[in-house]
Amino acid sequence: MVDPSLLRRFLLLRLQLCSVTRGGAGLSISAFQRHYTTNKDDNDKRGKWFTLPPFGSSINGSALGKQLAGCSRVVTSERTAVKWVIRCCPQLPRNLIQKLFRLRQGEACCFKFTTIKIQFRVRRESISSDNGGQIQERKLKRVTAKDSLNMGDRIFLPITIQEFPTEKKDCPCTEEEVNYIRSLELYKDPAIIVVNKPPGMPVQGGIGIKRSLDELAAAYLTYDYSEPPRLVSFPVTQVHRLDRDSSGILVMGRTQTSATVLHSVFREKTIGASKDDIDNEKRILQRWYWALVIGSPRRSKGLISAPLGKVVVDNGKSDRITVVNNTQNMTSQHAITEYRVIESSHGYTWLELSPLTGRKHQLRVHCAEVLGTPIVGDYKYGWQAHRKWKQLHPSDLIKNSNEKVSKEKALPFGLDLENGSIFGKHPHLHLHCKEMFLPNVSQALQTVQLSSDYDLSELETLKLVAPLPSHMQRSWDFLNS
């Protein structure tokens, strides 16, 4: 006869485990706050703890991404104690979590002008059972950051961690602005969310930036998830990013696991791209941009393979990317772009560009320096072509244009979405990520979770399409009228 109390405890642990391994959403410490007590003697020594959910098998997002990219197959791996804390407590800074494992009992932890006294070090509870499945012994031991966890192990954090002030990013928006942000949504499933980034809105915050897309998405596109959407990039490797003035498809992971999978897919398919990939019709990752350029390339289609490097200009005040002719004398990264002419008219050409690699300003530099056709509105790499901008306007098109400057209407976030076509005095950048193909990450995660003998060969491919921004659509209509 099974003890009812043990049965209830087993079911409770299983429910907590499922909430971590299936949902993939981040977990707040406060949601799992428990008071760990043993006997009276140990209670005074151990005090009170924040208890995390029991450890269960989890998906290695990086390995799964590599498998989707055609590399390794192993997607499950052991998880260390520090990674489990990061997984369960996404709101805590990683530097602070690392300090929790390093500090000794009684030391003070200083972090961002906040001092926290660490009364007890991080511990874990290991559960041993007999052949009948009944719990025999519970042990609470010290744990280091790199220690591997076993199924059912639980991590205990010092309760003084609650004194750490959680950073709440205030991002107040009007109802109109919130509706506008949500209108950008192109696609959403349990793993990813895709938006059509407007021109002029920065993707990530920084000095002098008040509103960024990642901040707005975290505030208004989280929905019922406890984790905010994450950009598919890391501080060192930016594998999927759009410039501030460009527009189009931007993919974000809705959980830490899905973001890791996406990052791995983008990194494997862009960092290791080669000329041979152009002939592979089954590329799992394809991106197609539309650009309006000044002039016309000599060939209607082709492949650009020109390494790029960064040079410092203006006495060190700024930098720019350029094609590197001598790779021995200058650090460079290989960059490959496929292009095709869509249509030419009145001295302008619409190009379809597909970057096989993901270098900073790759498309803009390849168009300006390799093809000799700078993108309209690119004043950084096409400034010479824009110096005589007024002379480029065909008189017959100017008469037929109905470009009007709207100054009365208040646009969301101060964006200038009503102007910027080729008939404006200062046209916006005409570069737009219009179409993308990528593997169905949500389906892949579900497949791996349901069976250890999984098969991803029949995985669906998502096709994402973003309509042109208004200034590019007007330029298209003018040139094709």
Side-chain angles (χ1 to χ4, degrees), residues 328-347:
Q328 294 181 349
N329 298 332
M330 181 177 176
T331 303
S332 63
Q333 294 178 315
H334 80 288
I336 305 174
T337 302
E338 180 186 6
Y339 76 91
R340 179 180 68 88
V341 172
I342 300 174
E343 188 172 341
S344 295
S345 176
H346 300 88

Side-chain angles (χ1 to χ4, degrees), residues 165-171:
T166 57
E167 297 182 2
K168 295 183 179 180
K169 295 183 178 181
D170 295 330
C171 188

Side-chain angles (χ1 to χ4, degrees), residues 173-327:
C173 292
T174 65
E175 183 178 356
E176 180 186 7
E177 290 174 334
V178 173
N179 292 335
Y180 175 74
I181 289 297
R182 291 179 175 173
S183 70
L184 301 176
E185 185 181 305
L186 295 173
Y187 174 83
K188 179 179 65 177
D189 65 24
I192 70 172
I193 186 168
V194 184
V195 297
N196 185 8
K197 188 190 97 63
M201 177 174 286
V203 171
Q204 197 170 27
I207 299 176
I209 297 177
K210 296 181 179 180
R211 299 286 181 85
S212 59
L213 189 55
D214 64 335
E215 180 184 7
L216 294 169
Y220 302 109
L221 297 181
T222 300
Y223 298 107
D224 57 343
Y225 276 51
S226 59
E227 295 180 77
R230 289 176 168 85
L231 296 172
V232 187
S233 64
F234 287 91
V236 178
T237 309
Q238 298 183 358
V239 295
H240 175 53
R241 187 68 59 86
L242 295 175
D243 297 336
R244 177 172 186 161
D245 295 325
S246 60
S247 58
I249 298 172
L250 183 70
V251 183
M252 292 182 284
R254 300 192 70 188
T255 67
Q256 182 177 348
T257 300
S258 60
T260 303
V261 174
L262 285 168
H263 175 268
S264 184
V265 169
F266 274 88
R267 187 180 189 280
E268 293 297 326
K269 301 310 292 183
T270 57
I271 300 298
S274 65
K275 295 181 181 179
D276 297 334
D277 293 333
I278 198 68
D279 299 323
N280 185 3
E281 297 180 356
K282 295 183 179 181
R283 283 185 291 164
I284 66 166
L285 177 63
Q286 300 182 52
R287 294 170 292 171
W288 298 98
Y289 289 71
W290 274 29
L292 179 63
V293 299
I294 302 173
S296 180
R298 294 181 179 180
R299 298 179 181 180
S300 60
K301 62 179 180 179
L303 187 68
I304 304 171
S305 180
L308 302 178
K310 183 170 68 174
V311 295
V312 179
V313 295
D314 297 335
N315 295 324
K317 296 180 180 179
S318 60
D319 58 67
R320 58 177 289 156
I321 307 300
T322 185
V323 172
V324 178
N325 295 319
N326 190 343
T327 57

Side-chain angles (χ1 to χ4, degrees), residues 29 123 148 150 230 341 395:
I29 287 183
R123 308 270 180 110
S148 298
N150 300 317
R230 289 176 168 85
V341 172
S395 58

